[in-house]
Amino acid sequence: MKKIFVSLFVIVASLPASLFAETGYNAWLRYAPLSDAAVRAYRDSVPAVVANLGNAATERSAQQELIRGLRGMLNRNLREDSRVPAEGAIILGTLSDLQKSAPQLGLSATMPPDGFWLKSVTVNRVRYTVITAQNDRGVLYGGFAFLRRIALNEPVSDLDIKQTPSAPVRWVDEWNNIDGTIERGYGGRSIFWDAGHVRDDLSRVTDYARMLASLGINGISVNNVNANTLFLSPEMIPQIARVADAFRPWGVKLALAIDFGSPQSLGKLPTYDPLDPTVIAWWKAKTDEIYKAIPDFGGFVLKADSEGRVGPSTYNRTHADAANVVARALKPHGGVIFYRGFVYDHHANWEDPKADRARAAYDNFHPLDGKFDDNAIIQIKNGPIDFQIREPASPLFGSMENTGQAIELQITQEYNGQARHLVYLVPMWKETLDFDMHVRDGAPTPVKAIVAGKVTARPGGIVGVSNVGLDDSWYGNQMSQANLYGFGRLAWDPDLSAQRITDEWTKLTFGDDPLVVRTVADIQLSSWRTYENYTGPLGLQTLTDITGNHYSVNVEASERNGWGQWHKADAKGVGFDRSVATGTGFTGQYRPAVMKMYETVENTPDDLVLFMHHLPYTKVLRSGKTVIQTIYDDHYEGADAVAKYAKDWKALKGRVDEARYDQVLAQLEYQAGQAIVWRDAVNNWFAKESGIADAKGRVGHYPGRIEAEAMRLAGYTVKPQTPFEIASGGQAVECAAGTAKCTAGIKYDGEAGWRDVVVQYFDQNNGVSHFRVFVGNQQIVEWVANDRVPSAKIDGGSSARHVIPAVALRPGDEIRVEGVPEGRETAALDYIEIVPAN
Ligand code: GCW
């Protein structure tokens, strides 16, 4: 036994590092070995000692992280020290630590909290690399910045780099439930909670804390904003304190989402009226209790009067009353409350042409400007609706001169492919952050400056809804990690370019092979536009199943219901008239310069034209193309782009570790199939509604496609589908539960040659059907339909594609698909397509 172990070890130890299976768990903190040349280049600039002059847990983390990172990248084991040695060293400590213990370094500066200074200093001919800051958290950030420089092959000799984060508050929210599920989480179950309590093993929390710290994120709210009151119960608080303990060494403050009804539901008071003295006292006592257990507690997040959550409206009180009762309880401890601006009527009257959900945040909060305490910050989603694929910046930004405003971005890809589609959101976020709200005449006032507290009187912040889970990739998709990375980098410095952030991420995550870096950048940077193209371009919003899973295509789902995400498409035209002149007046919520842009069709950029205006399908846009033709063309462009992503990724075989290479390829191939489903569904819906044909003749005409309902069926029955657009021809064939098997066959009547045979079928998450394909009597492939998709019914989300490459076909061949149903899945088939082999 021992012998086997030893010889295995020898084999494993001698494998090149790149061949070790990577799971993605280490994300961008892999500290993979650098090339020999790079290691040589750092020979003189990286010393043998890392001395920590501070005694905060975060500084200790910085020291350990440096040792860990340099061991990984340079294969060197640095010595720890706690004083400035007589030999070259990396010196860690706050400015006050250094002034006390190492005056010989002669360092002084005024720096804001959390900023850092990397400074090379020579004293008596000894070279030191000093990593210092105003506070200990800044020292940790400096440590990570130093490591990042090395990982990116940037020089670390002669350093004099000062960086300061843009906004003081940089938080993530995790919509985790106490039972371990995550609302809108796609990377598995909660790393924090399980079955009503905190997990015993919090090692993943520690590793997540490291990831956050490496980006400069300094706070985390660890439960769903649709908050369970039990999080505030006396039994839970010690458990939450354990989680806070895991975050503390990484400088991340813990916060909680609260339910506004807690004084009543948990505290058993007869009321939760924010002006009632017993309620005021209850919030104070509860907050004191939390601070006793967690002295550096960050504060609360509150979703009130929104989507069925209780709020101050019960007592005719205002959002300011609600925010302030909590803010005042937090104030003595230095905590803050993020009060969510996501308040709207989800029972709106869709027949009222003036009803407009986009108006809601501004209408609700703008009149209350100046009424919020200074530690109450309004947390505003980037757009006025809800994390759609494209929205204008919320008009609330900059509209409240005397209220702190934070931006809320969604890292988890709820409406953006739920981590099954690769959609990189950094370019989208940058567009909002850079958008000039024209708060002042003369100087630009982009959203990034407003939330950094540089425009209006109060500081704000930047918050990302992250929702990591137990999956080793954290998000259920390796490429989705780039969204967290990009969020953190932008929260630190919104002026970083998307290209820079993407290249950093790729090099840290996959290595610096130039083809890999270029290919990943091409894919990531275009993926937002691509997803928009094949879902809802021109400001239509995502066009998903809005009352269902927020994933599958369903063009009408957002219409004729109270949720207010309407696009108002009918036989003549499409789009929502939000102008002041003839619409809901939404554009009038912006400052005049912005309003002027959105108020008229002519001035509105095409990208948002249907968000702001209702147009006939034949209207010619600024691009010179009609609305309807743009919809058709964009969908083809989007689907073609994903097909190219999969192809380009294949060129990276051998340049990326095999496990992640395979995962990303499978994901891109799935996405390529989904993009076709979206393309056809949306285009067919608009073709039918408008009665206008695609000028290029593609929509409704699919060369080589044979509908399942037109095939020779045995056992399968033809079923019309609702909505019609989710299945080609509006129909699919299904094999009833309990049937041993069903078949659908055709006789091939094309020319002899190599053909790709595409099988479009349905793969729900509540059954595992089995498929086989035969040519004549020869089985050429079989598979089980058990992919991870967020749909339990036949719809666009469960529509799946299996491509059988290069089949040698001859005229007269019998092609037969055999389906075996299982569970709630009916081995449903939509069509097959026989196309020249790729
Ligand atoms: O978009 C909606 C989501 C809800 C979410 C809500 C919010 C947590 O579908 O799941 O609730 O936004 O942001 O409060």
Side-chain angles (χ1 to χ4, degrees):
M1 183 67 199
K2 199 169 166 205
K3 205 158 154 210
I4 295 175
F5 176 78
V6 170
S7 51
L8 258 180
F9 178 79
V10 171
I11 295 169
V12 172
S14 60
L15 284 174
S18 61
L19 289 184
F20 280 110
E22 296 219 34
T23 62
Y25 183 72
N26 292 321
W28 52 89
L29 299 178
R30 291 155 65 243
Y31 301 129
L34 299 187
S35 70
D36 292 346
V39 170
R40 267 195 308 278
Y42 286 115
R43 203 182 47 207
D44 297 328
S45 50
V46 174
V49 179
V50 50
N52 173 18
L53 308 191
N55 45 28
T58 35
E59 290 164 302
R60 175 91 190 135
S61 298
Q63 186 181 32
Q64 293 311 306
E65 191 73 13
L66 283 160
I67 291 171
R68 171 180 181 160
L70 296 173
R71 177 188 298 133
M73 294 188 289
L74 303 178
N75 200 18
R76 291 195 201 173
N77 289 290
L78 270 63
R79 302 167 64 89
E80 292 178 14
D81 206 332
S82 55
R83 284 164 316 163
V84 179
E87 61 178 304
I90 300 171
I91 311 288
L92 299 173
T94 60
L95 280 160
S96 64
D97 291 334
L98 297 188
Q99 276 146 18
K100 224 171 34 228
S101 320
Q104 70 273 32
L105 298 175
L107 290 176
S108 77
T110 29
M111 296 203 60
D114 292 4
F116 61 80
W117 187 12
L118 309 182
K119 173 80 176 146
S120 305
V121 184
T122 305
V123 181
N124 296 333
R125 307 238 289 284
V126 182
R127 301 275 295 162
Y128 299 109
T129 301
V130 180
I131 301 179
T132 188
Q134 188 255 3
N135 59 1
D136 56 88
R137 200 188 278 123
V139 174
L140 176 59
Y141 297 160
F144 277 113
F146 180 84
L147 286 168
R148 179 158 51 225
R149 288 188 72 80
I150 293 184
L152 296 174
N153 270 296
E154 293 168 352
V156 294
S157 49
D158 298 318
L159 290 175
D160 188 3
I161 297 174
K162 278 193 186 135
Q163 281 188 25
T164 305
S166 165
V169 182
R170 305 170 302 281
W171 282 19
V172 287
D173 285 0
E174 310 288 332
W175 291 348
N176 287 215
N177 298 314
I178 206 163
D179 63 0
T181 59
I182 303 178
E183 181 154 349
R184 316 301 176 189
Y186 312 109
R189 290 171 62 80
S190 173
I191 63 172
F192 308 103
W193 321 111
D194 187 33
H197 49 75
V198 73
R199 287 187 182 279
D200 291 335
D201 176 6
L202 292 179
S203 53
R204 281 180 188 244
V205 174
T206 296
D207 284 324
Y208 187 44
R210 278 177 65 231
M211 285 161 69
L212 297 178
S214 75
L215 302 170
I217 290 168
N218 60 5
I220 183 168
S221 170
V222 286
N223 61 322
N224 193 351
V225 287
N226 291 325
N228 188 325
T229 43
L230 287 179
F231 278 103
L232 295 184
S233 66
E235 300 72 46
M236 257 333 255
I237 290 174
Q239 303 191 35
I240 293 166
R242 274 193 60 217
V243 180
D245 291 345
F247 279 110
R248 188 168 299 110
W250 302 95
V252 182
K253 284 189 181 186
L254 189 119
L256 285 174
I258 50 173
D259 177 78
F260 197 62
S262 303
Q264 188 180 66
S265 53
L266 185 68
K268 303 294 172 222
L269 298 181
T271 174
Y272 55 89
D273 179 353
L275 300 192
D276 184 288
T278 61
V279 170
I280 296 171
W282 189 86
W283 281 114
K284 187 174 172 338
K286 183 50 73 182
T287 306
D288 291 347
E289 183 187 344
I290 295 173
Y291 274 92
K292 210 155 169 216
I294 311 169
D296 56 353
F297 184 69
F300 296 123
V301 182
L302 175 54
K303 172 176 178 180
D305 280 328
S306 168
E307 299 188 328
R309 310 299 303 177
V310 300
S313 67
T314 313
Y315 304 99
N316 267 321
R317 307 299 189 202
T318 69
H319 294 298
D321 295 329
N324 292 345
V325 66
V326 181
R328 285 167 199 168
L330 289 162
K331 182 77 181 176
H333 305 284
V336 295
I337 171 170
F338 280 98
Y339 196 93
R340 294 182 86 235
F342 184 64
V343 176
Y344 69 102
D345 173 13
H346 68 283
H347 299 292
N349 175 9
W350 55 270
E351 284 172 308
D352 172 4
K354 295 286 175 196
D356 182 4
R357 172 171 168 182
R359 293 187 55 112
Y362 185 97
D363 285 345
N364 278 302
F365 287 89
H366 183 256
L368 297 172
D369 186 26
K371 304 240 156 60
F372 290 91
D373 282 11
D374 63 3
N375 60 332
I377 298 173
I378 311 302
Q379 180 167 318
I380 306 165
K381 290 192 183 187
N382 57 295
I385 302 282
D386 190 6
F387 301 136
Q388 299 298 295
I389 186 63
R390 187 184 293 270
E391 296 183 42
S394 169
L396 201 52
F397 292 119
S399 76
M400 301 173 84
E401 292 281 347
N402 295 299
T403 308
Q405 295 153 62
I407 188 169
E408 179 178 313
L409 301 170
Q410 199 185 40
I411 299 161
T412 191
Q413 295 163 236
E414 175 180 358
Y415 289 96
N416 298 319
Q418 304 194 353
R420 290 306 328 260
H421 296 232
L422 182 161
V423 184
Y424 180 56
L425 296 166
V426 165
M428 171 170 117
W429 296 334
K430 274 193 77 74
E431 231 174 83
T432 303
L433 290 166
D434 287 342
F435 187 80
D436 188 353
M437 299 301 296
H438 287 272
V439 177
R440 305 268 178 269
D441 291 333
T445 50
V447 171
K448 63 188 172 193
I450 294 165
V451 299
K454 290 171 187 150
V455 175
T456 50
R458 299 272 180 82
I462 175 156
V463 178
V465 180
S466 174
N467 291 0
V468 292
L470 282 179
D471 192 291
D472 274 349
S473 71
W474 298 93
Y475 288 105
N477 173 346
Q478 301 292 348
M479 303 296 260
S480 293
Q481 292 181 357
N483 284 322
L484 176 61
Y485 186 84
F487 165 80
R489 297 294 284 141
L490 285 177
W492 183 269
D493 180 3
D495 293 329
L496 288 171
S497 72
Q499 179 84 48
R500 160 90 206 182
I501 294 172
T502 313
D503 289 350
E504 277 182 16
W505 178 78
T506 308
K507 288 178 189 168
L508 299 173
T509 306
F510 288 113
D512 60 4
D513 178 325
L515 186 66
V516 173
V517 175
R518 198 163 2 109
T519 305
V520 171
D522 287 348
I523 294 176
Q524 294 275 39
L525 290 171
S526 60
S527 63
W528 170 42
R529 172 66 74 181
T530 293
Y531 187 74
E532 175 182 36
N533 279 341
Y534 68 76
T535 59
L538 297 175
L540 275 169
Q541 306 171 54
T542 309
L543 303 182
T544 67
D545 190 351
I546 225 82
T547 49
N549 61 8
H550 296 188
Y551 178 78
S552 311
V553 56
N554 191 331
V555 182
E556 279 176 83
S558 56
E559 291 303 296
R560 292 175 290 283
N561 64 48
W563 294 89
Q565 269 164 265
W566 313 312
H567 51 69
K568 306 206 171 191
D570 59 21
K572 296 206 193 70
V574 57
F576 198 153
D577 185 355
R578 295 190 156 108
S579 68
V580 170
T582 53
T584 65
F586 167 76
T587 62
Q589 293 182 336
Y590 291 96
R591 305 284 167 132
V594 180
M595 173 194 165
K596 214 171 139 217
M597 171 169 67
Y598 291 145
E599 175 65 12
T600 63
V601 180
E602 287 60 41
N603 288 342
T604 306
D606 285 352
D607 280 341
L608 282 170
V609 73
L610 300 180
F611 191 94
M612 303 293 175
H613 302 282
H614 187 82
L615 300 179
Y617 291 112
T618 50
K619 168 83 185 169
V620 176
L621 297 172
R622 283 157 61 136
S623 64
K625 239 194 262 181
T626 61
V627 168
I628 190 74
Q629 196 58 39
T630 308
I631 292 175
Y632 295 151
D633 288 354
D634 285 359
H635 281 83
Y636 275 89
E637 208 175 291
D640 292 348
V642 189
K644 184 166 181 302
Y645 294 166
K647 194 165 149 264
D648 291 350
W649 182 262
K650 284 188 184 160
L652 305 186
K653 193 170 172 64
R655 294 170 185 263
V656 164
D657 60 283
E658 212 173 308
R660 290 186 302 167
Y661 170 83
D662 287 345
Q663 282 175 38
V664 174
L665 180 60
Q667 183 272 315
L668 288 172
E669 285 178 335
Y670 166 82
Q671 185 179 357
Q674 272 284 297
I676 293 171
V677 173
W678 272 91
R679 177 195 79 189
D680 293 350
V682 175
N683 281 348
N684 282 310
W685 190 94
F686 278 99
K688 184 172 176 202
E689 188 70 19
S690 70
I692 302 174
D694 169 22
K696 298 183 186 156
R698 298 156 302 184
V699 179
H701 307 284
Y702 307 101
R705 185 177 296 188
I706 302 144
E707 297 294 343
E709 51 273 23
M711 293 170 75
R712 208 174 44 244
L713 304 177
Y716 271 122
T717 42
V718 178
K719 295 268 177 70
Q721 299 298 326
T722 321
F724 79 90
E725 73 268 21
I726 62 104
S728 189
Q731 299 180 322
V733 302
E734 297 185 46
C735 188
T739 315
K741 71 172 188 209
C742 298
T743 61
I746 54 140
K747 181 182 271 178
Y748 175 69
D749 59 8
E751 285 170 24
W754 299 104
R755 296 288 180 271
D756 287 349
V757 178
V758 174
V759 181
Q760 194 75 26
Y761 63 105
F762 291 91
D763 181 353
Q764 300 159 203
N765 60 11
N766 53 358
V768 182
S769 309
H770 199 125
F771 291 92
R772 289 190 180 85
V773 177
F774 296 83
V775 176
N777 289 328
Q778 183 188 350
Q779 178 182 315
I780 52 170
V781 71
E782 71 178 306
W783 72 92
V784 286
N786 61 353
D787 202 357
R788 177 175 58 87
V789 290
S791 179
K793 59 181 188 195
I794 292 180
D795 69 0
S798 58
S799 183
R801 194 172 182 83
H802 192 99
V803 181
I804 313 161
V807 182
L809 289 184
R810 305 286 177 264
D813 278 347
E814 294 282 345
I815 302 175
R816 200 166 79 251
V817 182
E818 191 179 287
V820 178
E822 196 275 336
R824 308 287 302 272
E825 213 174 71
T826 54
L829 276 181
D830 190 359
Y831 60 81
I832 68 168
E833 224 164 59
I834 303 176
V835 293
N838 189 353

